[in-house]
Amino acid sequence: MGETAVATTRRREATRQRLLDAAAQVFAEVGLDAASVEAVCERAGYTRGAFYSNFETKEELFLELAGRVARERVAAVRARVGELGHAHAAPSADAFSIVQEVLDVSYDDRLGVLLMSEIRIHALRNRVLADAYLAQEAEMVASVAQIIADIVRARSLALRIPAEEAARLMLMAWEGASVRAVMAGLDYEELCRRTSVDIGRLAQLIIDPPAH
C-alpha cells in the first residue's frame, strides 16, 4: 500500500514537471495568450486529462513556472556561494570581482528571459497574477538579500545601503541587462557576461571594499 502510494506520487510529480518544462518552452515561444493547453500537452506528450489532473487552468501553470524560475535562480547563486566558501580562496579586493564570482553560474538563458518577461507583462494586466508575482518577487528579494549579507560578512565588507535594498537593485539590473542582451540577439555567453558586468558595476556603488 505504502509503496504503491509512493510510486503514484512519483509518477504524478514526473508528469507535473514534464508539463512545466513543456509549458516553459511554449509560453516563451508564443506567449501566454497564444499558448493553448493542447500545445502544452502535445509538447509534453500527454493528453488534456493529464493536464487537468495537475492544473486547473493555464494561469495556474504559468504562476508555478514563475515560482520555479525564481527558485532556480536563487538556488544557482546559493550553490555558487557555497563553492566559493569551500574553495578557501583569498578574498577578492573589490566588489566587482566578488559579484562576478558569485554570479558566474549558468542559470539564465534566452528562454528564461522570455518567460520572465511574459510573466511580468501579464502581471501588469491581471490583479491575481500581479499579487502572486509580487509575493514571489518579495521571496526572491529576501533570499538574495540573505546571500548578499552572507557575502559581505564572509569577505569583511560593508554595505552602503540595507541588504534588502541592495538585493532589489541588483535584481533590477540583472533583469534589465538580460532583456537588453536578448533584444540585441546576443549569444548565451555574451548574455551572461554583460549581465555579470552590469551587476558588478552596481556592486561597486553599494559595497564598500574590505578595510585595510
Side-chain angles (χ1 to χ4, degrees), residues 185-206:
L186 303 179
D187 62 24
Y188 177 75
E189 290 186 1
E190 184 64 12
L191 184 155
C192 292
R193 189 192 70 79
R194 291 201 182 185
T195 302
S196 180
V197 167
D198 277 9
I199 296 176
R201 287 171 177 163
L202 175 60
Q204 290 178 315
L205 299 176
I206 63 180

Side-chain angles (χ1 to χ4, degrees), residues 10-143:
R10 286 178 177 170
R11 284 197 300 272
R12 181 179 177 82
E13 182 58 28
T15 299
R16 192 176 184 87
Q17 290 304 314
R18 193 163 165 180
L19 285 167
L20 284 166
D21 291 340
Q25 296 173 14
V26 175
F27 287 165
E29 290 169 4
V30 302
L32 177 61
D33 291 336
S36 65
V37 170
E38 288 79 8
V40 172
C41 291
E42 182 179 353
R43 184 70 61 93
Y46 290 126
T47 64
R48 286 171 59 91
F51 181 94
Y52 287 112
S53 68
N54 285 276
F55 303 99
E56 290 187 5
T57 64
K58 186 171 62 173
E59 286 73 19
E60 180 189 344
L61 174 58
F62 198 55
L63 279 175
E64 184 156 338
L65 272 177
R68 188 173 78 167
V69 170
R71 290 190 297 272
E72 286 176 351
R73 288 179 169 184
V74 171
V77 176
R78 282 197 179 281
R80 182 58 176 164
V81 170
E83 290 172 7
L84 292 175
H86 288 106
H88 301 294
S92 301
D94 63 276
F96 178 85
S97 298
I98 294 167
V99 175
Q100 274 202 318
E101 279 184 301
V102 172
L103 294 178
D104 183 22
V105 291
S106 300
Y107 54 80
D108 218 348
D109 57 15
R110 185 175 182 275
L111 187 67
V113 173
L114 288 171
L115 178 60
M116 291 308 295
S117 296
E118 184 73 15
I119 289 168
R120 282 190 291 274
I121 288 170
H122 281 80
L124 287 170
R125 299 173 181 149
N126 183 301
R127 185 69 262 166
V128 175
L129 284 174
D131 289 342
Y133 178 84
L134 290 173
Q136 290 172 349
E137 182 185 61
E139 291 182 13
M140 180 77 164
V141 169
S143 296

Side-chain angles (χ1 to χ4, degrees), residues 142-210:
S143 296
V144 174
Q146 184 59 56
I147 291 170
I148 292 172
D150 291 344
I151 295 171
V152 165
R153 182 173 56 254
R155 299 298 183 98
S156 300
L157 304 171
L159 288 172
R160 296 188 175 106
I161 58 177
E164 187 167 330
E165 291 183 24
R168 196 176 300 281
L169 287 173
M170 285 190 177
L171 285 171
M172 289 172 61
W174 183 357
E175 292 170 355
S178 297
V179 169
R180 288 192 299 275
V182 169
M183 286 182 176
L186 303 179
D187 62 24
Y188 177 75
E189 290 186 1
E190 184 64 12
L191 184 155
C192 292
R193 189 192 70 79
R194 291 201 182 185
T195 302
S196 180
V197 167
D198 277 9
I199 296 176
R201 287 171 177 163
L202 175 60
Q204 290 178 315
L205 299 176
I206 63 180
I207 301 177
D208 283 326

